Amino acid sequence: MDWSQSALSTSRRHIPLLLALLTVLSLLFSTTVSAEPAPSGTPLPTAAPTAEPIPSADPMPTAEPSPAEDPARAQDPSRSSQTARPAPSPESGAPEPTGSPAPTAEPTPSVAPEPTPEPGPDGDALAVQARTALEEHAAELGRVRTGAPVSAPVCTAAGVCHRAYQRLTLTWSPTSGVVTHKPSRSAQPRRVFTDVVTTNQFVKEVEWLNAVSISTGYSDGTYRPLHYVERGAMAAFLYRMAGSPSFTPPGEPTFADVPRHHMFYPQIEWLANVRVTTGWVEDHQRWFRPESPIARDAMAAFLYRFAGEPAFRAPATSPFVDVAAQQMFHKEMSWLSHSKLATGWEADGGRAFRPAESIKRDAMAAFLFRAAPLTASTTLRNHGPLPKLPPPPPVYRMHQPAGTNGSPTSPFGWRIHPITKRRTFHNGIDLGDTTGQPIYAAADGIVMFRGWTNGGGNSLYLSHPGLGNVDSRYIHLSGYVVGQGQRVSRGQLIAFMGATGSVTKPHLHFAVKEHGDFVDPTHWIGPISSFYR
């Protein structure tokens, strides 16, 4: 009993010591647990990023690439074990997903939308080849010019290069060897012309036209998209689209209405030199009509010839309901549809092209933008000056007063009279046609007589003071348009053909008196043609 009481007393004295010991052990245990990585914590700086580190005092091996997977690390083992983030994609500008990097020869990161890379050893030769091909092609098109808003070409190790021109990207592929055109994703939209708003239907095409220096617009900063394209401006567009080739215009103008001081004289002469245009032939001269708006059918012909007149067989039936198969430029307009350059408008029974309609400047930008891929590889051949026209005929001081519907019924000189059957002198020529046909003044003059004459019926005499002592006579008329003493001009309507007086059929008896004597009228009006012009 005494021993029990003594033991109990001793135990009570040691309880505080036991509690203190338990407290110390508890503190030691909590410190050891907190030193280990928690499941949701951040891994140690030396550990590679992993999905979720395992809570262990012995961390798992890092996910760094081996020297065989990372050429850069194989060359320099002292580099940090941090995994490098690959460069952004040059097309999208967005970084690739993080993780183990794929082997690449162009790991240069950049925030620029189109970085200029330095090809690695494996892709250097092919990339340089691709870049050279692209630059040569761009230079051929006249894209690389002083002040042109271009960027450096971007080439990958696979040899694919592209160069952005604001709204257009040219891409060359070594596998196909073809340069393709597409809108540039990396180009930032900007307002080039003050009057071309972003809501304009062809704003992209108009800005491209400016970016590749085909059109710089007007001095006031406008493009005037709803104005019609004049033929002279069209020549300038095509000349610049061809790369502004070296060309010396001839000293003598090809077209009568395009003198050497004309704004677009070199461009129009070049257009004729490469046979994109031949103009019109009138009055034994060539005419270009540079200030006239260009019609859609003529534009189709220009683009077809500018593309090198590619092999194309026109269909028997036009793709447009308002273009007949026998119509001029039917082939060229069909080619425009076949090449997806023009779709036309919806119309009853199909699509309409509206060939005679003039083109506005914004629509022309769209046509040139679509035609760029088709004309990129075209080399226009220099044909030289257009052939000389034959010399004009002698200039006659009068012109034929009426049509003949064939040939004169009777010439000037002696003949057997068709009514009297006697040999008489015919003092003029007979121009046979039908009653009511128009008769025009052969030259400027004054009506000196209008009335009835024996045998001649209704007659009209004109004097021509500007020609000297000369007058002309118009006989067998069915009616008059001018009166006694009236002044008339060359080519003015003065009367109508008839069969009054002594005649066998309707005709105009036309005579000319010179110094009081009748002379052969063909000496004044030239050989008789079948139709009056």
Side-chain angles (χ1 to χ4, degrees), residues 32-407:
T32 304
V33 172
S34 63
E36 296 178 0
S40 60
T42 303
L44 293 175
T46 57
T50 56
E52 189 169 325
I54 299 175
S56 170
D58 298 321
M60 294 290 292
T62 63
E64 295 176 357
S66 64
E69 296 173 343
D70 187 357
R73 184 172 176 82
Q75 296 175 6
D76 187 5
S78 64
R79 287 191 178 186
S80 171
S81 62
Q82 289 281 354
T83 302
R85 185 183 295 268
S89 169
E91 290 186 358
S92 64
E96 297 179 4
T98 59
S100 300
T104 175
E106 298 177 353
T108 305
S110 173
V111 296
E114 292 185 356
T116 303
E118 296 181 0
D122 296 335
D124 182 60
L126 194 56
V128 169
Q129 177 187 358
R131 181 188 304 186
T132 302
L134 178 65
E135 289 178 339
E136 288 178 353
H137 174 74
E140 178 186 349
L141 293 179
R143 307 297 194 240
V144 183
R145 298 172 61 183
T146 303
V150 302
S151 60
V154 178
C155 302
T156 66
V160 176
C161 294
H162 72 271
R163 178 191 287 271
Y165 299 86
Q166 296 299 329
R167 290 278 183 168
L168 181 72
T169 295
L170 304 179
T171 305
W172 182 85
S173 171
T175 57
S176 62
V178 175
V179 176
T180 57
H181 302 64
K182 65 179 181 178
S184 175
R185 297 178 182 176
S186 59
Q188 297 298 322
R190 63 190 185 92
R191 191 173 180 181
V192 178
F193 300 106
T194 58
D195 57 346
V196 179
V197 297
T198 55
T199 56
N200 185 284
Q201 181 180 359
F202 301 119
V203 61
K204 174 183 67 177
E205 291 83 353
V206 171
E207 290 186 359
W208 169 80
L209 209 67
N210 173 263
V212 296
S213 301
I214 293 178
S215 175
T216 56
Y218 295 87
S219 58
D220 59 357
T222 63
Y223 179 74
R224 305 176 190 178
L226 301 183
H227 285 206
Y228 291 118
V229 179
E230 296 179 351
R231 290 172 54 85
M234 181 68 182
F237 284 173
L238 294 180
Y239 174 75
R240 297 165 190 160
M241 191 169 179
S244 300
S246 177
F247 173 71
T248 302
E252 181 180 355
T254 301
F255 302 102
D257 54 350
V258 185
R260 296 186 61 184
H261 61 266
H262 192 278
M263 178 188 302
F264 298 125
Y265 176 71
Q267 293 87 346
I268 294 173
E269 289 290 348
W270 171 84
L271 209 65
N273 199 267
V274 296
R275 297 300 188 273
V276 172
T277 184
T278 57
W280 287 267
V281 177
E282 292 180 357
D283 298 331
H284 294 270
Q285 288 183 305
R286 292 190 185 276
W287 307 84
F288 184 74
R289 303 175 185 171
E291 279 73 42
S292 298
I294 186 168
R296 288 171 58 85
D297 57 353
M299 180 273 305
F302 276 16
L303 290 182
Y304 176 74
R305 298 168 193 162
F306 188 77
E309 300 188 34
F312 174 73
R313 186 174 182 178
T317 302
S318 171
F320 302 108
V321 296
D322 56 348
V323 178
Q326 66 274 15
Q327 188 169 336
M328 182 184 293
F329 303 138
H330 157 63
K331 176 180 179 180
E332 290 82 352
M333 288 182 279
S334 298
W335 171 80
L336 216 64
S337 172
H338 174 77
S339 303
K340 303 296 187 293
L341 300 185
T343 57
W345 289 269
E346 292 185 3
D348 294 339
R351 311 286 296 181
F353 185 74
R354 305 178 186 174
E357 192 171 289
S358 300
I359 305 177
K360 294 179 180 178
R361 288 172 56 86
D362 58 351
M364 179 57 71
F367 276 121
L368 296 180
F369 179 80
R370 298 169 196 162
L374 301 179
T375 60
S377 59
T378 301
T379 301
L380 296 175
R381 187 163 62 92
N382 188 325
H383 294 270
L386 288 170
K388 294 287 185 179
L389 294 175
V395 178
Y396 295 98
R397 305 182 74 180
M398 292 183 179
H399 75 167
Q400 185 175 318
T404 64
N405 194 23
S407 62

Side-chain angles (χ1 to χ4, degrees), residues 320-496:
F320 302 108
V321 296
D322 56 348
V323 178
Q326 66 274 15
Q327 188 169 336
M328 182 184 293
F329 303 138
H330 157 63
K331 176 180 179 180
E332 290 82 352
M333 288 182 279
S334 298
W335 171 80
L336 216 64
S337 172
H338 174 77
S339 303
K340 303 296 187 293
L341 300 185
T343 57
W345 289 269
E346 292 185 3
D348 294 339
R351 311 286 296 181
F353 185 74
R354 305 178 186 174
E357 192 171 289
S358 300
I359 305 177
K360 294 179 180 178
R361 288 172 56 86
D362 58 351
M364 179 57 71
F367 276 121
L368 296 180
F369 179 80
R370 298 169 196 162
L374 301 179
T375 60
S377 59
T378 301
T379 301
L380 296 175
R381 187 163 62 92
N382 188 325
H383 294 270
L386 288 170
K388 294 287 185 179
L389 294 175
V395 178
Y396 295 98
R397 305 182 74 180
M398 292 183 179
H399 75 167
Q400 185 175 318
T404 64
N405 194 23
S407 62
T409 58
S410 183
F412 175 83
W414 291 93
R415 66 169 184 170
I416 299 298
H417 196 282
I419 297 178
T420 65
K421 307 301 180 182
R422 297 174 59 182
R423 186 173 184 270
T424 58
F425 184 80
H426 192 223
N427 62 13
I429 58 175
D430 292 343
L431 305 176
D433 209 321
T434 58
T435 298
Q437 291 300 311
I439 295 174
Y440 305 92
D444 296 346
I446 303 171
V447 178
M448 56 184 295
F449 172 80
R450 192 190 93 162
W452 184 270
T453 60
N454 291 330
N458 292 325
S459 302
L460 197 68
Y461 299 173
L462 301 181
S463 65
H464 305 288
L467 301 179
N469 190 8
V470 177
D471 64 77
S472 59
R473 301 188 177 191
Y474 311 80
I475 300 173
H476 307 308
L477 308 176
S478 63
Y480 308 104
V481 177
V482 295
Q484 183 80 25
Q486 182 176 338
R487 288 187 174 273
V488 297
S489 301
R490 175 187 173 118
Q492 180 179 336
L493 179 66
I494 57 174
F496 298 99

Side-chain angles (χ1 to χ4, degrees), residues 21-48:
L21 180 61
L22 289 175
T23 302
V24 170
L25 292 175
S26 176
L27 291 174
L28 291 174
F29 178 77
S30 62
T31 303
T32 304
V33 172
S34 63
E36 296 178 0
S40 60
T42 303
L44 293 175
T46 57

Side-chain angles (χ1 to χ4, degrees), residues 435 456-457 475-478 496-507:
T435 298
I475 300 173
H476 307 308
L477 308 176
S478 63
F496 298 99
M497 190 176 295
T500 57
S502 299
V503 298
T504 57
K505 58 184 178 181
H507 69 278

